Amino acid sequence: MNTLDRYVLFGHPVAHSRSPQIHALFARQCGQALSYDAIDVIPEQFISTARHFFASGGRGANVTFPHKEAALALPADLTQRARLAGSINTLAVMPNGDLLGDNTDGIGLVRDLVERMGLTLRDRRILLLGAGGAARGVIGPLLELRPSALLLDNRTRPRLEQVLHDFEPVAASLNVKWGAATAGPFDLIINATSASHSGDLPPMPQGAVASHTICYDMFYGREGTAFTRWAQSAGAQRAEMGLGMLVEQAAEAFRLWRGVLPDTGPVLAAISG
Ligand code: ATR
């Protein structure tokens, strides 16, 4: 019988996910005995599959595209940042047996932008593409960096309007200009859509890129993404993918599950090769 503590990733698709490798490296580095597997589950079966996993002793899960908002139905309680986000990327069984929902995407993105890439975002203009669970997860932590403006664009208008409405009070309290994107250019453009999954480019305002613009795709692919290739051809200063964010958000999930924060540098180096 498998006596290891069990963790999983729920997503659709998950075949190319690097999360199992990242958590295996964290476990080895921190001397933790656990298993971590990727489970491909369609939206219609996600809730029942996740409930079964936890009912049969699973200790924690990561949640990725397209289940981050649906996952709100699972936990008994949410961390403050998950409640603000309205989306979840981490589930953990707490000592009292209750399930807690967290969202570590925002802290993961901010650490990658600020600590690894060395960006200063205070008083900068940021464009965020997307209004799904991934976008929701990073808005609060981006606002806390006090950019001059955080502006949004999305393929469909109603979802964009909902996100603009939900985060309006936080943006106002931090004195950050907030709203639907108009014209560029921007200092930083973050692609939080899932368009890269299908090789598509999300819609963007005119003139979004100038020669100083940094572009960041939260998605990652072996040979770049449609968005990073577009950014390069549009003359952006730098185009990056979200592998660093993936490792950082995973480290925060690992800390919630195991009580120890892994050293992310060597793990990012190992999976970047
Ligand atoms: P996630 O958890 O990754 O955010 P999601 O909640 O399904 O997944 O949200 C997907 C996001 O990517 C949405 O902003 C979606 O736009 P819509 O709200 O208009 O559906 C965006 N998206 C997905 N495929 C896209 C495409 N091919 N082009 C542009 N935007 C796309």
Side-chain angles (χ1 to χ4, degrees), residues 151-167:
L151 303 177
L152 262 65
D153 208 346
N154 193 53
R155 180 175 58 179
T156 54
R157 193 75 195 185
R159 215 167 174 196
L160 174 66
E161 297 290 351
Q162 186 65 50
V163 173
L164 290 176
H165 172 267
D166 290 351
F167 288 87

Side-chain angles (χ1 to χ4, degrees), residues 8-157:
V8 292
L9 167 70
F10 292 116
H12 181 65
V14 291
H16 300 291
S17 172
R18 312 297 291 274
S19 292
Q21 191 188 359
I22 291 168
H23 283 286
L25 290 167
F26 285 166
R28 193 186 311 159
Q29 182 196 93
C30 300
Q32 300 277 319
L34 56 85
S35 69
Y36 186 106
D37 297 299
I39 296 183
D40 194 328
V41 57
I42 59 172
E44 295 72 19
Q45 288 168 10
F46 165 59
I47 295 293
S48 59
T49 305
R51 288 210 169 110
H52 176 74
F53 170 73
F54 286 110
S56 62
R59 304 299 305 162
N62 282 136
V63 179
T64 190
F65 174 78
H67 306 312
K68 286 180 178 177
E69 288 177 81
L72 287 169
L74 291 165
D77 201 5
L78 296 174
T79 60
Q80 200 188 347
R81 60 193 177 190
R83 191 168 298 121
L84 173 67
S87 72
I88 287 174
N89 79 334
T90 304
L91 290 158
V93 178
M94 294 287 99
N96 69 358
D98 282 352
L99 201 55
L100 178 70
D102 193 9
N103 195 319
T104 66
D105 278 342
I107 190 172
L109 173 67
V110 164
R111 274 209 196 122
D112 200 39
L113 294 172
V114 173
E115 292 174 20
R116 185 183 64 82
M117 292 175 65
L119 304 185
T120 304
L121 295 174
R122 196 175 177 112
D123 296 332
R124 300 300 161 103
R125 274 185 106 222
I126 304 177
L127 170 64
L128 180 66
L129 305 171
R136 286 179 159 277
V138 300
I139 290 170
L142 285 173
L143 287 170
E144 278 165 24
L145 294 174
R146 307 281 186 106
S148 59
L150 179 58
L151 303 177
L152 262 65
D153 208 346
N154 193 53
R155 180 175 58 179
T156 54
R157 193 75 195 185

